Amino acid sequence: MLDPKYLRGDIQQTAEKLKRRGFELDVNSFIELEEKRKSLQVRTQELQNERNVRSKSIGKAKASGEDIQPLLAEVGKLGDELDSAKAELSVLLDEITALSQSIPNLPDDSVPQGEDEAGNLEISRWGTPREFNFEIKDHVDLGANLSKGVDFDAGAKLAGSRFVVMRGQVARLNRAIAQFMLDLHTEEHGYEETNVPLLVNQESMTGTGQFPKFEGDSFHTKPATEEGQGLSLIPTSEVPLTNIARDEIYSIKDLPLKMTAFSPCFRSEAGSHGRDTRGLIRLHQFEKVELVQLVEPTTSFDALEELTGHAEKVLQLLELPYRKMLLCTGDMGFGACKTYDLEVWLPAQDTYREISSCSNMLDFQARRMQARYRGAHGDKPELLHTLNGSGLAVGRTLVAILENNQQADGSVTVPEVLWPYMGGLEKIG
RNA sequence: GGAGAGGUGGGUGAGUGGCUGAAACCAGUUCCCUGCUAAGGAACCGUACGUUUAUUCGUACCGAGGGUUCGAAUCCCUCCCUCUCCGCCA
């Protein structure tokens, strides 16, 4: 959620910034709503004040044994007026909240203008794509030939399309990747290993910005609108990790808070029918090691560089060529103010594909969650800044290793840093 | 899942209809005193929104949401959570 002052004071300028990312803010109707809210709120409070004052005088009159009947009659009329004012106000507030929650974050000035991924800016490249002197296979064929290590038929039978069964050395390699990443981030990069619920409530989904706008992208145990509040399967552990800070006030001494978690992620992939239908790239269930930082506002852009670097380190140690992209205004996520994507080289697709996305959300999520910190002395609590990034997507890392490290005979070499996690195995297949 | 007990400010914990935005204690901040990093004393010490701005004042919030009432932390209902016992179970 944006700072209300952006929607009151210089709303026109805010609308311009939102336009950069293709969001049309209805300025006039918002101003109208705000003005109505203001006058209605003042009137409601005045009525309440009057009621409170008179009720108190009734109490005193009663205590001193006076006749309170005339007073009662007088206050009686106030009630109805107050009730209707209250009701009107609450409708209005709901409307404003709904509108506010549907507005995306403002893009940072450093973010390039663009409509879609074509507008993203390449920042840097690392590594050189390998030259193959044989006909290369993609990870689906490679995996299938590794003793059915990657089995989409079984996945489809069990759950449907976009699900997979992994076996044997491939399944182990998948686990090794996740273990390696967790160890790296906890031992080298200062993140606390965290194990989180995979099902979360609506407050959590709202806190990080998935709800109410993107309900269709997640799986729910019950319709989220139904009475009794269904839980949602997390689309990323960013949701539980970040929501740990919801309604908390941290001491500045505890910042920055750096957490990492390995978790399955569940996405309904609504609206992506026909995209990446082959292989492990886009599944309903995948695994990811997530990095989350909660920081003081002044340090969040530095933290974004640092966090992105932590994700890059994984790729470097795995010796996978990648490039770093600065997302343009049109390609950024709803709550992000600035996002770097890391794209790994996939030889079979002859292109770079997203394997990590690292974002600074500023106070956008913190405001929704009321996640705050208190500076020195008895300062007022202030909203902290939240960041998150994949470090990395495990399935896509597996894809990258399979494809980049394939040999002519269909075997795959294991990156050296993973040997300890593979029981010393240097090659699979 | 069943039975019982609870959810109050950073913490402990009073408060069963008006004088309670909330006692007391602890922690914290500031000041005073004291010749030592001790002891003592005083004041301050929730959040949000609105209003005003030398200074204010108002409203809401005692797990959440409804209800009763002129008036609710206090009474009623629903839900959530915690604890104890039982059941079940990885």
Side-chain angles (χ1 to χ4, degrees), chain A residues 228-331:
Chain A
Q229 294 210 347
L231 298 173
S232 300
L233 286 154
I234 58 170
T236 157
S237 52
E238 166 201 342
V239 176
L241 284 177
T242 311
N243 271 281
I244 287 173
R246 176 152 49 85
D247 294 322
E248 297 291 337
I249 300 176
Y250 293 97
S251 160
I252 195 167
K253 288 176 295 205
D254 300 330
L255 302 180
L257 238 68
K258 296 162 75 174
M259 297 174 280
T260 184
F262 163 77
S263 85
C265 305
F266 305 90
R267 298 190 184 174
S268 75
E269 295 295 349
S272 64
H273 300 292
R275 287 188 70 190
D276 305 314
T277 47
R278 180 176 166 84
L280 293 164
I281 296 296
R282 193 177 297 273
L283 299 176
H284 286 311
Q285 176 186 327
F286 63 97
E287 291 167 335
K288 186 156 59 68
V289 170
E290 183 76 358
L291 304 172
V292 162
Q293 291 200 22
L294 310 175
V295 305
E296 286 176 64
T298 52
T299 64
S300 64
F301 282 103
D302 290 340
L304 176 63
E305 300 299 324
E306 183 199 73
L307 186 149
T308 308
H310 294 153
E312 288 182 68
K313 189 72 182 174
V314 177
L315 287 163
Q316 291 169 9
L317 289 171
L318 292 170
E319 300 179 84
L320 294 168
Y322 69 91
R323 61 178 188 173
K324 178 179 172 184
M325 308 292 287
L326 176 58
L327 294 197
C328 71
T329 52
D331 202 28

Side-chain angles (χ1 to χ4, degrees), chain A residues 394-423:
Chain A
V394 175
R396 290 187 181 185
T397 306
L398 178 69
V399 169
I401 290 173
L402 290 178
E403 294 197 3
N404 281 285
N405 293 11
Q406 63 179 295
Q407 306 300 311
D409 62 359
S411 65
V412 174
T413 59
V414 175
E416 196 175 334
V417 289
L418 297 184
W419 292 354
Y421 299 93
M422 294 293 285

Side-chain angles (χ1 to χ4, degrees), chain A residues 47-192:
Chain A
L47 285 170
Q48 274 172 326
N49 181 22
E50 200 171 331
R51 186 207 61 191
N52 288 348
V53 169
R54 296 199 188 189
S55 291
K56 255 177 200 168
S57 73
I58 290 176
K60 281 178 190 159
K62 205 174 175 186
S64 62
E66 294 172 36
D67 179 18
I68 58 170
Q69 279 311 316
L71 288 170
L72 282 179
E74 207 179 328
V75 184
K77 294 173 226 154
L78 264 179
D80 298 338
E81 215 178 325
L82 181 59
D83 281 347
S84 71
K86 266 186 178 168
E88 210 180 323
L89 182 62
S90 106
V91 169
L92 200 59
L93 287 177
D94 286 348
E95 223 173 305
I96 290 173
T97 303
L99 221 152
S100 302
Q101 287 188 338
S102 73
I103 300 173
N105 204 353
L106 302 178
D108 187 60
D109 288 341
S110 66
V111 172
Q113 178 77 36
E115 283 186 20
D116 52 32
E117 60 185 38
N120 296 344
L121 190 68
E122 184 175 315
I123 302 291
S124 62
R125 285 190 187 208
W126 186 93
T128 313
R130 173 181 155 206
E131 303 273 354
F132 291 90
N133 55 9
F134 55 89
E135 188 78 18
I136 59 170
K137 299 191 179 79
D138 77 357
H139 69 277
V140 179
D141 292 335
L142 281 165
N145 291 334
L146 290 165
S147 311
K148 284 178 126 183
V150 177
D151 188 343
F152 283 100
D153 292 337
K157 178 167 70 182
L158 296 175
S161 68
R162 294 189 192 273
F163 286 94
V164 72
V165 169
M166 288 192 269
R167 291 193 186 84
Q169 293 179 324
V170 173
R172 180 164 192 185
L173 180 58
N174 185 73
R175 174 162 59 92
I177 291 167
Q179 298 267 73
F180 160 68
M181 292 178 186
L182 266 184
D183 284 349
L184 178 69
H185 295 313
T186 55
E187 290 166 15
E188 306 291 330
H189 297 154
Y191 291 79
E192 181 175 35

